[in-house]
Amino acid sequence: MSDQDIIASLVPSADIFIGGVWKRGRGATFASQYPADGSVNAEISTADADDAREAVEAADIAWRKANWAGLKPHQRALVLYRIADLIMQRHEALAQLQRRDNGKPINETRVLVASAANTFRYFAACLETLDEELTPSRGDYMTMSVHEPIGVIAAITPWNSPIASDAQKLAPALAGGNAVVLKPAEVTPLASLALARICEEAGVPPGVLSVLPGKGSVIGDVLVRHPLVKKVSFTGGTEVGRGIARLAAEKLMPVSLELGGKSPTMVFADADLDHAVNGVLYGIFSSSGEACIAGSRLFVERSIYDEFMRRLVAKARELRVGDPSLESTQMGPLITAKHRESVERYVALGLEEGGRLLCGGERPAGDGFFYQPTILEGLSNRARICQEEIFGPVLIAMPFDDEAALLKDANDSVFGLAAGIWTRDYKRAYRVARALETGTVWINTYKLFSISTPFSGWKESGMGREKGRLGIREYMQQKSLYWGLNDAPMAWAN
Ligand code: NAD
C-alpha cells in the first residue's frame, strides 16, 4: 500500500471525534505535513472552543453510565484488551502512519505502536488484579479503602511520540472508569484519530472518548478551565505545564505534568567504552533528540575525555540521517521548519557562548526538516545551552575531575527527568544514582522503558507519575468506607 492509502485507511476523512460522533470540527482546517519532505499527509478539521465544550459535556454524561463506570473491572478490562489487539492487528499501518505524522524512522515507530498496545494490555491486567484494601479495624467497625473514577479527564499530549504518549494516558484513565477528552499536539493529529477509531471499534461507549485536534492555546485552555473537567494529564513543555498548574490551582483540580528535561549522562574512566559510546549516541541522537529524556549533557572523566570524544565524534559523523521509511535510517527529520530554526538558534548561541563545534551544526542538503547530529564542547554547565531544553540532536560534552564536582554539575539544572551512568563499579553506580536529583537513572544503559516501572519528573520536569501498577490510581479517587458492627445504638445520643 502507498503511504496515502495507509493514511486513508486509518484516517478516512477530515472528521474529528466529538462525543462519540465523527464530524467536522468547527475550527480551521489543518494540513498535516510529512516532515521528511513537506508533502501533505491529509487535511484534518480542527476543534474550536465550542467543540471542546461539547466534548466535555458529552463525556460528563457518558462516564457515569452503567456501560462504563458501572462495569466491573474485569468487564472494562476486556475493552482495553480489545484495543490492544486491534492496535497489533494494524501494527504496521499504524507505524507507517506515525512515521508520516512526525517523521520518526520506521524502526522507532514500530516500537512505539507495540508499546501502545502493551500499555493497554498492561493496564487491563492491572485493572483486573488490583485489590481494594480492607484496613485493620480499630473498634467495632470494619474499614475499607476503595477507589472511584475521577470523571472527565483532559489528556493533552505532545508531538514527539503521539501514539505511545496517548496510550500512556488513555489506558489508565479508561481503566479507572473515566471519560477522556484527548487533545493531541496541533501538528500530529493522525495517530490520535486512528486510535480513536480503534477505541470505538473495541467498544468504548460513545462520549467516553473524544479526540480534539487543534490549537493548544484554544482547545487546551478551554479544557483546563472547564468546570466539568476534573483532572488534567499533560505531557509537554515546562512553561505550558506551569500555566496549566496555575489554572488547576484555581479549580483545586489534580494535575499530572510530564515536562521537559536536560538530562546528564556521565561516563567514568572504568566504563566499557564501546557500550558507553553507543549508549551516549542512542541517548541523544535517537528520535533526532526530540525526546524529553534525551541525554543532552555529557560528562566524561578527564583522563579518558580525549579518547572518548574521538570515538564518539567519529561514530556521530557516521549516523545515517535521512528517509524515515528506510529500515537503515537512524535519524529522521525534525518535526517542523520552525522547530529546526529553534535548534539552529541554540547551536549559534552555544558558539557565541564560547563553544567549539566537534561535528554537525548544519542542515544536510535536500528537502525536509533534517539537522545533522551535533556535538559541542568547551562550555560550562552554566552556559544557556546546557541549562535550556533544545529538544533536538545537540549534545554538549564536558570533562569532569571527581565525583563531587560531577554531581554538583549534573544536579545543577532546573530539570530532573533522567540521567545515565556508565561505570563498571557497582558501588559507585549505586551511590551516584541515589544522589542524582532525577526521576529515572539508567546504569550502563539508556532510554530503556518498561510499562511496569513508574516514570516521573523531579523539579521542573513534572509532578505526578505515569506507568507502573498503581498508574491507574492516578486516575481514581480514594474513598474510605466504615461499616458499623455494633448492635447497640450510639451511646452518645442516650
Ligand atoms: P507543548 O508544551 O508546546 O505542547 C504540548 C501540548 O500542549 C500540545 O498538545 C499543545 O497543543 C498543548 N498546549 C499548548 N498550549 C497550551 C495551553 N495554553 N493550554 C493547554 N494546552 C496547551 O510541547 P510540545 O512542543 O508539543 O512537546 C515538546 C515538549 O514536551 C518538550 O518540552 C518535551 O520535553 C516535553 N515532553 C515531555 C515528556 C515527559 O514524559 N516528561 C514526554 C514527551 C515530551
Side-chain angles (χ1 to χ4, degrees):
M1 272 212 276
S2 72
D3 281 359
Q4 283 307 326
D5 289 341
I6 290 170
I7 295 167
S9 73
L10 294 169
V11 185
S13 74
D15 291 348
I16 60 176
F17 197 43
I18 306 174
V21 180
W22 289 95
K23 58 183 173 184
R24 292 293 141 113
R26 285 168 276 192
T29 302
F30 171 74
S32 145
Q33 254 189 327
Y34 186 31
D37 61 13
S39 60
V40 172
N41 292 321
E43 303 262 346
I44 298 293
S45 68
T46 65
D48 74 355
D50 287 333
D51 292 325
R53 286 188 272 270
E54 188 181 324
V56 172
E57 282 156 22
D60 189 54
I61 294 168
W63 75 268
R64 301 166 193 277
K65 291 191 174 167
N67 65 356
W68 197 240
L71 293 179
K72 297 278 176 269
H74 67 283
Q75 296 169 320
R76 209 161 47 239
L78 273 183
V79 180
L80 272 75
Y81 284 124
R82 279 201 294 272
I83 297 173
D85 290 346
L86 287 168
I87 291 174
M88 286 318 285
Q89 276 170 27
R90 288 165 212 178
H91 178 261
E92 183 59 20
L94 284 166
Q96 300 291 358
L97 182 79
Q98 172 80 94
R99 166 180 67 79
R100 292 288 311 201
D101 212 10
N102 76 347
K104 278 197 172 182
I106 187 65
N107 281 336
E108 270 190 56
T109 60
R110 285 188 183 127
V111 173
L112 289 176
V113 174
S115 114
N118 282 337
T119 300
F120 279 98
R121 203 172 291 121
Y122 177 81
F123 281 114
C126 290
L127 177 60
E128 284 197 284
T129 55
L130 265 186
D131 292 324
E132 300 291 15
E133 202 184 351
L134 197 60
T135 53
S137 172
R138 295 180 71 91
D140 288 337
Y141 53 86
M142 191 177 79
T143 42
M144 288 176 77
S145 171
V146 298
H147 296 82
E148 311 286 5
I150 294 176
V152 181
I153 310 289
I156 304 177
T157 53
W159 45 259
N160 59 327
S161 310
I163 197 158
S165 39
D166 289 357
Q168 227 161 282
K169 298 191 184 307
L170 285 187
L174 293 176
N178 304 283
V180 183
V181 180
L182 170 65
K183 217 292 293 159
E186 194 178 344
V187 292
T188 54
L190 299 183
S192 309
L193 290 168
L195 196 53
R197 288 187 187 271
I198 286 175
C199 290
E200 188 186 23
E201 200 177 323
V204 172
V208 167
L209 173 65
S210 289
V211 176
L212 305 178
K215 279 200 177 305
S217 53
V218 179
I219 314 301
D221 193 62
V222 169
L223 293 179
V224 176
R225 290 175 192 269
H226 200 294
L228 292 176
V229 170
K230 300 299 184 196
K231 171 168 178 153
V232 172
S233 177
F234 171 82
T235 299
T238 293
E239 283 321 306
V240 177
R242 203 191 304 277
I244 289 174
R246 273 196 204 104
L247 293 174
E250 283 297 316
K251 284 169 68 180
L252 289 179
M253 166 179 68
V255 56
S256 78
L257 304 172
E258 300 289 349
L259 307 176
K262 192 77 191 178
S263 299
T265 306
M266 45 220 83
V267 182
F268 288 89
D270 69 345
D272 180 324
L273 294 196
D274 290 335
H275 279 233
V277 166
N278 281 16
V280 169
L281 287 173
Y282 177 67
I284 178 65
F285 296 126
S286 59
S287 306
S288 300
E290 293 173 329
C292 53
I293 47 178
S296 50
R297 291 183 292 148
L298 171 65
F299 297 95
V300 182
E301 197 159 359
R302 196 177 296 277
S303 61
I304 57 157
Y305 182 84
D306 290 341
E307 168 64 8
F308 186 81
M309 292 309 296
R310 188 186 60 69
R311 289 165 69 168
L312 187 78
V313 170
K315 275 199 132 172
R317 287 205 173 103
E318 286 168 11
L319 290 175
R320 296 177 294 278
V321 182
D323 183 348
S325 70
L326 300 178
E327 308 228 339
S328 55
T329 294
Q330 290 161 299
M331 279 175 58
L334 300 183
I335 185 77
T336 56
K338 193 167 154 224
H339 182 55
R340 179 170 64 179
E341 283 161 20
S342 151
V343 171
E344 286 172 330
R345 276 197 299 279
Y346 268 114
V347 173
L349 175 67
L351 296 174
E352 276 165 32
E353 287 181 303
R356 285 185 300 279
L357 202 56
L358 297 180
C359 65
E362 286 181 345
R363 305 173 178 192
D367 293 336
F369 314 133
F370 293 91
Y371 195 71
Q372 288 174 343
T374 298
I375 303 178
L376 290 116
E377 66 172 4
L379 288 159
S380 96
N381 186 58
R382 285 272 92 215
R384 260 185 70 196
I385 67 161
C386 290
Q387 291 291 321
E388 295 175 22
E389 185 183 43
I390 301 174
F391 217 58
V394 181
L395 177 70
I396 301 110
M398 292 163 272
F400 71 87
D401 292 305
D402 60 58
E403 208 175 292
L406 166 69
L407 277 172
K408 186 167 170 295
D409 275 348
N411 285 334
D412 177 19
S413 170
V414 293
F415 298 110
L417 198 56
I421 302 170
W422 298 89
T423 178
R424 285 191 170 100
D425 179 343
Y426 72 90
K427 285 183 243 164
R428 171 162 53 203
Y430 185 72
R431 198 169 55 233
V432 172
R434 295 303 299 258
L436 285 166
E437 296 166 1
T438 64
T440 296
V441 180
W442 287 288
I443 299 160
N444 294 323
T445 184
Y446 204 88
K447 243 179 154 184
L448 270 187
F449 265 126
S450 144
I451 184 65
S452 54
T453 308
F455 179 71
S456 64
W458 287 25
K459 303 196 270 188
E460 295 191 16
S461 290
M463 282 163 57
R465 57 194 49 77
E466 291 193 322
K467 309 201 294 184
R469 201 167 150 69
L470 297 180
I472 295 179
R473 296 296 191 229
E474 297 282 316
Y475 293 93
M476 301 194 85
Q477 319 197 64
Q478 187 276 339
K479 181 185 277 178
S480 299
L481 303 185
Y482 286 73
W483 304 71
L485 298 176
N486 205 329
D487 285 339
M490 283 189 174
W492 180 87
N494 289 334

